[in-house]
Amino acid sequence: MKVMIAGAGSVGRSIARDLLEHGHEVLLVDSNPAAMRVAQVAEAEWMLADVCEMSALRDAQVETMDVVVAATGDDKANLVVSFLVKTEFGVPRTVARVNNPRNEWMYDAQWGVDVAVSTPRIMTAMVEEAVAIGDLVRVFTFRQSGAAMVEVTLPASSPVVGVPLSEIQWPVDIVLACIIRGDRTIAPTPDDTLEAHDELLFIVSSEADPESLEQLLRRGPAAIRPTA
């Protein structure tokens, strides 16, 4: 992918390094000359400009980007960047950093934000994920669709432990996206069998009932189809 990151501070540079390691093309843009620490992310392209200005976005050829990440330390700037690249240049995907949790309510489709990332909320989710077994933990929400990614660590007492995925009927509008087992990441197939303490990642639509998923994982009754 081609990714533009608005904001070349420590957060922006860290994101850039991760994306470059995964083979993506990255452009880092910042209006502060002191942020131009090119040697720290030498593989990226760099641009000194104010991304809140249309002329700078044109110079960055933002219309060619697959994703724009608004990662500055200013929530107003992140919203403006997201709005401009989405409405004026049609960028397919925007990810915006939320610095002040009180501003999170503004990070929605009206401002061109597809995914809002709030560090306090993610930290809360990670704390809950570390200590909770059997409880659903909301990791983040896709602002445009209202869908959410939730995580649950499967307790040993769950009735779905040892059951092949082909025999489990997940609730409507809930999809099992990934199984994390130890240090392995597993793309689910019908032949896979769930094990105690698997970490399960689900995509839950805005229309779905998360409680039905929790009930299935804890008590599992009729949601498991009998084998022939």
Side-chain angles (χ1 to χ4, degrees), residues 7-35:
S10 58
V11 172
R13 294 195 304 272
S14 178
I15 296 169
R17 282 190 287 268
D18 287 343
L19 290 170
L20 288 163
E21 287 178 4
H22 288 86
H24 303 298
E25 299 178 35
V26 176
L27 170 64
L28 275 162
V29 186
D30 203 297
S31 60
N32 184 1

